Structures are given as C-alpha cells and as structure tokens.
Amino acid sequence: MITTKPNPNMPPDLPPQVAMMQMLGGLRVARLIYAAAELGIADLLADGSQTVEELAQATGTHAPSLYRLMRSLASVGIFAEYECHFSLTPLAEFLQSDSPDSVRAAVKFFGQDWHWNVWENLHYSVKTGEPAFEYLYKQGLFEFYQDPEVARVSSESKASISQRAAQSLLANYDFSLINKVVDIGIFASGSTVISLLQANPTMQGVLFDYPSAIAAATSVIESAKVADRCELIAGNCLDSVPSGGDAYILMFVVHNWDDNRAVQLLKNCREVMSADGRLLIVEMIMPLGNQPFVGKLIDLESLLTTPGGYERTEAQYRSLLASAGFQVTRIIPTQTANSIIEAVRA
C-alpha cells in the first residue's frame, strides 16, 4: 500500500475532494484582489471604515454589486465588515498605493488579461516546452515589454517586488568595500541600485537595462536624489555589459534564460570584471522534495513566458556558474524566498 505524507497546502480537517474544490477557487480569489486593486478600495479606507454606499460613490460602482465583492474579500481576510462598514485588515493594507511593501502595482500588472490568457494555455507549454506567450501573441515577452507603456507598468510592478528584495540584499550583504556597483536588469525599476546608493553615500552606480526600461527609470532615479551618482546605460545584457564595476548584481535576471543564454550573460560579466570583482545573483533557489515553495509557481511563470527560463537548484546554479568561469564563494539565505549567490572569477 502506498502512503503519502499530508499535504501542507491542503486545508486541515476537510475531505480531500472539498479541499480540492477550495483550491480551484484560487482563481476567483485572485480576480477579487485584482478588482479591489483596480478600484483603489484600500486607499479609500486609509483614514477609516466606510459604508459600501460611500465606497460605491467614490469608485463609480453599483453599490449592491460592490457589496458582494467586498463581502467575498472579507471572507478571505482582505477587508473586514462590521456594522455595515468595511475597514482595512493587515492583508488589505498592502493593497494601499503608498504602503511600505505595497503589492498593488504587482497585482494590477499580473491581473491583466494578457497574463491570464497565457495561464489559460498552460497545457500548450506543458505539451511543447515552448512559451505560451509566443504562441498567443506571436512575439517574445521581451519584445512585448519594449512598448513604453508596458515597460512603465512592468517597472512599477517590479519596483513593488524588488524593493523588499533590495532591502534584504542590503541587510544580508556587506557593501562597505564596494566603490562601484553595476545593476543589470531586465525591464527593472531601478529600485535595487537606488537602495544601494541611498544606503552607501560614497558609492557610484550603473543601471544597465533595455532602452524602454531606462527611459522609464530615468525619472525614478532623479526623484530618488541619486542621479548624480548613477549612470544610466541602455543595451542588451546578452550582447555585452558595462565595465568598471566592483560588483555586478543580477536580481531576478538569470532565471529568464535557458542555460546557453544564461552562460553567455555570465561570461559577459566575467569578461569586464576586475580580478577581484564579485558577482551577486539574487534568485530563488529551488529546494528538493515536496515542500511548498513559491518558486515552484514562479518556475511555471517562466515556462509560460520566457525563452527557456527556469528556477534552478543550488547544484544547477553551481554548474551554470562553473560553465561561465565562476566559482561560488557562498550562498546567503535571506528573510525572503530569495538567496544571494556570491561568485568570483575561477
């Protein structure tokens, strides 16, 4: 008889078929959260609770229908209803635009129709191994991101995701001996290099990214008051990367590529690094076994959208870096799901 351990993802004390049906409801919950983010409900409740009629007037919605939306969100812990008023909960606070670690921009980006259309074609990617995005839209994801408006929305989303990762990088890695850092992005927001420069007043920085991403990041860099210490360079990291850095940071970059292109990117970094330069890769490292890990879902995102990208195990990262002429010196876990992989020239 085959036995398995209880699945920690399954709600406790429920028959398996009921738990399965609850899991199927995850799509509905995601759409509820997207609707709340689009309507800006959390911002409207920042100063205190409101009735659904007040919220409906502010959002231009149908009050009885809005009530049904809010009631459902409250049932999963996002907003709370008390005496005909709705208020914020700890979860809902992160849907506020100006909340630290806000996820509203990310929710609005990933809740767009093009993204759901891609996930609806997961079976295509599983059958073929090819990105469903290219099958649907007849272009690559990175070509799609070249559109200035798409790049802007993507940058806002990545800023909300990268901000905490950048703070975690600062909290877990000593940059005191780094004079110049090169932040290599793929339609990133500039939040990583901004955080580093703000925390290290004498450090110089370079943000290197695709042209549309650099255009979107320019005003962000200026608003952060670090433009005098941050050079903005447009290009393609698979062709070349800027020289002169003491540390090269690849945050959420390597997982976008198959092994051949990832090795080319890493070799481009090695070619311009000084003998004592450091490479810092910030990514999720896939654990072995059946335990829940958000990277397993992000890995499917890569399958659906990128040309051969995937989340790698520690052994796969070590092998990849060795193929590019690097030696892993240490792997630093952080308070997030990400780890910092430090490597030097072998």
Side-chain angles (χ1 to χ4, degrees):
M1 179 178 179
I2 298 175
T3 61
T4 60
K5 295 180 180 179
N7 188 335
N9 285 321
M10 184 179 294
D13 304 322
L14 286 177
Q17 67 273 28
V18 177
M20 177 68 77
M21 292 304 297
Q22 286 202 358
M23 290 180 183
L24 286 172
L27 171 63
R28 298 184 182 96
V29 174
R31 298 304 286 177
L32 294 176
I33 297 170
Y34 174 67
E38 277 288 333
L39 292 171
I41 299 292
D43 287 347
L44 295 173
L45 296 175
D47 295 327
S49 64
Q50 293 190 34
T51 66
V52 73
E53 288 77 14
E54 291 171 326
L55 292 172
Q57 183 176 5
T59 57
T61 55
H62 180 239
S65 299
L66 180 61
Y67 175 76
R68 294 163 73 175
L69 171 69
M70 297 297 295
R71 176 177 60 186
S72 295
L73 284 164
S75 75
V76 293
I78 303 172
F79 307 116
E81 182 183 7
Y82 181 71
E83 294 184 348
C84 300
H85 285 67
F86 285 95
S87 61
L88 294 173
T89 60
L91 277 176
E93 288 178 1
F94 292 102
L95 288 176
Q96 293 179 282
S97 301
D98 58 356
S99 172
D101 294 327
S102 171
V103 299
R104 185 187 179 199
V107 170
K108 291 175 66 176
F109 179 76
F110 288 110
Q112 294 182 44
D113 288 343
W114 72 263
H115 186 249
W116 286 112
N117 291 341
V118 171
W119 271 91
E120 287 175 358
N121 285 269
L122 175 61
H123 61 282
Y124 170 84
S125 290
V126 171
K127 285 182 177 180
T128 65
E130 300 296 327
F133 184 93
E134 294 184 6
Y135 167 72
L136 286 174
Y137 298 110
K138 312 307 178 188
Q139 63 177 321
L141 181 69
F142 300 146
E143 294 174 85
F144 177 69
Y145 279 5
Q146 295 287 352
D147 180 273
E149 178 61 17
V150 174
R152 182 190 66 79
V153 177
S154 173
S155 292
E156 290 177 356
S157 169
K158 287 194 174 184
S160 70
I161 297 171
S162 300
Q163 185 62 40
R164 188 178 180 198
Q167 293 303 320
S168 181
L169 175 63
L170 281 164
N172 291 277
Y173 196 86
D174 181 11
F175 284 91
S176 60
L177 299 179
I178 303 296
N179 295 315
K180 186 174 183 179
V181 64
V182 178
D183 178 16
I184 300 171
I186 295 182
F187 299 99
S189 62
S191 60
T192 300
V193 72
I194 287 172
S195 296
L196 290 171
L197 295 179
Q198 288 178 336
N200 298 275
T202 62
M203 180 185 286
Q204 298 292 315
V206 175
L207 176 62
F208 180 75
D209 210 324
Y210 288 99
S212 57
I214 290 295
T218 300
S219 61
V220 179
I221 297 290
E222 292 173 351
S223 297
K225 311 297 185 186
V226 295
D228 60 327
R229 291 187 289 126
C230 186
E231 185 179 4
L232 302 174
I233 302 178
N236 186 331
C237 60
L238 294 181
D239 296 331
S240 64
V241 299
S243 61
D246 302 309
Y248 285 76
I249 297 179
L250 298 169
M251 180 179 287
F252 310 145
V253 171
V254 179
H255 74 162
N256 289 287
W257 306 113
D258 59 31
D259 287 351
N260 289 336
R261 280 177 276 204
V263 167
Q264 183 59 55
L265 163 62
L266 296 172
K267 284 183 176 179
N268 289 343
C269 294
R270 188 184 187 280
E271 184 177 337
V272 298
M273 286 174 59
S274 62
D276 58 351
R278 287 177 257 179
L279 180 72
L280 302 177
I281 296 175
V282 181
E283 294 279 9
M284 298 180 185
I285 296 180
M286 290 285 277
L288 303 177
N290 298 325
Q291 66 265 41
F293 184 63
V294 66
K296 295 178 181 179
L297 295 176
I298 301 300
D299 179 60
L300 290 174
E301 186 81 29
S302 295
L303 171 66
L304 287 164
T305 60
T306 62
Y310 67 103
E311 304 297 331
R312 295 171 170 87
T313 64
E314 178 180 335
Q316 288 170 326
Y317 269 113
R318 289 183 180 275
S319 175
L320 189 76
L321 285 157
S323 297
F326 283 98
Q327 176 184 352
V328 176
T329 48
R330 53 181 170 153
I331 297 178
I332 307 169
T334 72
Q335 298 81 1
T336 69
N338 307 308
S339 294
I340 305 166
I341 305 171
E342 180 192 64
V344 297
R345 292 164 62 109

